Amino acid sequence: MRATLQPGLTNRLTKYLRTTQQLIEEGRDAVSSKELGDFTGINPVQVRRDLNAIGFSGTRGVGYQAYDLVEAVRNILGLRQTYNIALVGAGNLGSAIAASTILPKRGFVIHDVFDDNPEKIGRTVGNVVVKHIDELKKSVTEAEEIIGIIATPASSAQEVAKLMVDSDIRVILNYTDVLLHVPSQVDVHRIDPTAQLMHTLYYLTQAEGQEAS
Amino acid sequence: MRATLQPGLTNRLTKYLRTTQQLIEEGRDAVSSKELGDFTGINPVQVRRDLNAIGFSGTRGVGYQAYDLVEAVRNILGLRQTYNIALVGAGNLGSAIAASTILPKRGFVIHDVFDDNPEKIGRTVGNVVVKHIDELKKSVTEAEEIIGIIATPASSAQEVAKLMVDSDIRVILNYTDVLLHVPSQVDVHRIDPTAQLMHTLYYLTQAEGQEAS
């Protein structure tokens, strides 16, 4: 077994990974610690220290080889090449998520989409035909899905979470604002921009207070 | 001027705030440090220490008064009661964001929605009539908007970001995967669930490795 990385390091590595993947898509072969620092808000000295810590080094004046960096970080994080995802909710939000180009670029494939509205079942969102929610467990097992996304109205979220737990989903991305009750072995992440906003606005207010004083 | 809070504390306070607001919506008057800990993943001892640090205390056996806690945290973070937001992009994603119940509950109002597609201008998304993107600067100034959301196709994101910067928007929530180039006084947050996913999957893989070993 590999040594366990510190949460702070893991968190920063995922940011370097995401940024480097994006720079590759913009046509870049190499990235510098300064660029990684600028786009992630992390000090370039810390960037170099982190990449050194995972045994990855760059070339002075050139930077880090972008593809190699992506592979090195993916390996150290133990990420599979692709993860299939079960998405529940085929409304505006679910359709937007299914059509997202971000997820597949990072190895996350919306493999199945479910709804309980007969008008939505059989329609295509993204590249996927919407199935009835009753097929969730069967599909999740077949496609070895351990990640579920809840993009339903709030009133259905807890019920969907229970179905996901019963289907052995391990990680739930919850786009509703319902506090889901799930067993402790299941990770729930709320996708809620308001926490980031409040955090940022606090520092903005502070900075303006300092300018004025 | 108030003393500046440590980033870790600010971050945790926004989580307590969000969770307490949600529990209030579920009909609760009081919350315990254990509940706040369970829903945020933070140790209850840390929860009590943080709330003590901002001068807020609970009652043994009852917990914290939920409304008072929300007010105390909002005050210490210096949050206004409401912030108006300019949203650009009236497709599936923009429509879902405009119809979100999470934002207004937390004091964030989608006040203006913009697009450049003539078919979308004049339509209603959420409760807002879509305006032409050319009206962005005027609307942002009138409604004193300092927060902008980009929910356009990736190909338009940088152009929209520039318009927002020129309109004195200070915080941008970027729902595309484009790395935006903006002046350093503007905060950009990418709303990208893949970073959280990669972080979580790393720990999941580790935990399974340990079970198996």
Side-chain angles (χ1 to χ4, degrees):
Chain A
M1 214 198 90
R2 293 180 305 257
T4 301
L5 306 173
Q6 292 298 316
L9 176 58
T10 316
N11 197 15
R12 292 192 299 275
L13 288 174
T14 61
K15 290 181 181 172
Y16 308 149
L17 175 57
R18 200 167 56 148
T19 300
T20 307
Q21 286 171 320
Q22 191 54 34
L23 287 167
I24 288 173
E25 283 152 26
E26 295 185 3
R28 301 283 301 281
D29 295 323
V31 296
S32 68
S33 54
K34 177 166 185 318
E35 284 174 307
L36 290 176
D38 284 348
F39 282 119
T40 58
I42 296 164
N43 189 310
V45 175
Q46 181 73 53
V47 174
R48 289 193 291 274
R49 192 182 297 150
D50 289 340
L51 294 180
N52 265 326
I54 64 164
F56 194 79
S57 54
T59 310
R60 182 173 287 273
V62 177
Y64 301 99
Q65 295 300 320
Y67 282 96
D68 296 348
L69 177 53
V70 166
E71 273 313 292
V73 175
R74 289 194 74 97
N75 280 336
I76 204 107
L77 294 178
L79 294 174
R80 293 189 212 155
Q81 285 304 307
T82 58
Y83 291 88
N84 290 334
I85 297 184
L87 166 68
V88 179
N92 276 329
L93 179 60
S95 301
I97 296 168
S100 158
T101 56
I102 301 181
L103 290 165
K105 279 180 188 171
R106 307 281 181 274
F108 299 102
V109 177
I110 303 288
H111 190 276
D112 294 293
V113 180
F114 304 92
D115 207 296
D116 65 355
N117 180 343
E119 288 184 18
K120 290 192 178 137
I121 294 158
R123 282 202 199 168
T124 301
V125 297
N127 297 313
V128 181
V129 176
V130 180
K131 298 184 201 175
H132 193 281
I133 184 73
D134 286 350
E135 298 185 47
L136 180 81
K137 188 165 188 170
K138 183 164 164 284
S139 300
V140 163
T141 306
E142 282 176 3
E144 297 181 351
E145 289 155 2
I146 57 169
I147 304 170
I149 297 182
I150 302 181
T152 63
S155 54
S156 310
Q158 179 60 53
E159 189 185 349
V160 170
K162 184 167 184 317
L163 286 173
M164 287 184 171
V165 170
D166 291 344
S167 308
D168 291 328
I169 289 280
R170 298 292 299 274
V171 180
I172 295 176
L173 293 187
N174 175 19
Y175 276 83
T176 77
D177 61 346
V178 174
L179 292 171
L180 298 176
H181 298 263
V182 299
S184 62
Q185 77 272 18
V186 177
D187 272 304
V188 177
H189 294 274
R190 269 200 286 177
I191 307 297
D192 172 358
T194 64
Q196 279 190 318
L197 274 178
M198 290 189 285
H199 195 248
T200 303
L201 290 167
Y202 169 70
Y203 286 99
L204 199 62
T205 310
Q206 287 286 314
E208 284 170 355
Q210 278 166 351
E211 280 164 22
S213 66
Chain B
M1 214 198 89
R2 293 180 304 257
T4 301
L5 305 174
Q6 292 298 316
L9 176 58
T10 315
N11 198 13
R12 292 193 299 277
L13 288 174
T14 62
K15 290 181 180 171
Y16 307 149
L17 175 57
R18 200 167 56 148
T19 300
T20 307
Q21 286 171 320
Q22 191 54 33
L23 287 167
I24 287 172
E25 284 152 26
E26 294 185 3
R28 302 283 301 282
D29 295 323
V31 296
S32 68
S33 55
K34 176 163 186 319
E35 284 174 308
L36 289 176
D38 284 348
F39 283 119
T40 59
I42 297 164
N43 189 309
V45 175
Q46 181 73 53
V47 174
R48 289 194 291 275
R49 192 181 297 150
D50 289 340
L51 294 179
N52 265 326
I54 64 164
F56 194 79
S57 54
T59 309
R60 183 173 286 274
V62 177
Y64 301 99
Q65 295 300 321
Y67 282 97
D68 296 348
L69 177 53
V70 166
E71 273 313 293
V73 175
R74 289 194 73 97
N75 280 337
I76 204 108
L77 294 178
L79 294 174
R80 293 189 213 156
Q81 285 304 308
T82 58
Y83 291 88
N84 289 334
I85 296 184
L87 166 67
V88 179
N92 276 330
L93 179 60
S95 301
I97 296 169
S100 158
T101 57
I102 301 180
L103 290 165
K105 279 180 188 171
R106 306 282 182 272
F108 298 103
V109 177
I110 304 287
H111 190 276
D112 294 293
V113 180
F114 304 92
D115 208 296
D116 65 355
N117 180 343
E119 288 184 18
K120 289 191 178 139
I121 293 158
R123 282 202 199 168
T124 302
V125 297
N127 297 313
V128 181
V129 177
V130 180
K131 298 184 201 175
H132 193 281
I133 184 73
D134 286 350
E135 297 185 46
L136 180 80
K137 188 165 188 171
K138 183 165 165 283
S139 300
V140 163
T141 306
E142 282 176 3
E144 297 181 351
E145 290 155 1
I146 57 170
I147 304 169
I149 297 182
I150 302 182
T152 63
S155 53
S156 310
Q158 180 60 53
E159 189 185 350
V160 170
K162 184 167 185 317
L163 286 173
M164 286 184 171
V165 170
D166 291 344
S167 308
D168 291 328
I169 288 281
R170 298 292 299 274
V171 180
I172 295 176
L173 294 187
N174 175 18
Y175 276 83
T176 78
D177 61 346
V178 175
L179 292 171
L180 298 175
H181 298 263
V182 299
S184 61
Q185 78 272 17
V186 177
D187 272 303
V188 176
H189 293 275
R190 269 199 285 177
I191 306 297
D192 172 358
T194 63
Q196 279 189 318
L197 274 178
M198 291 189 284
H199 194 249
T200 303
L201 290 167
Y202 168 71
Y203 286 99
L204 200 62
T205 311
Q206 286 286 314
E208 283 169 356
Q210 277 166 352
E211 279 163 23
S213 67

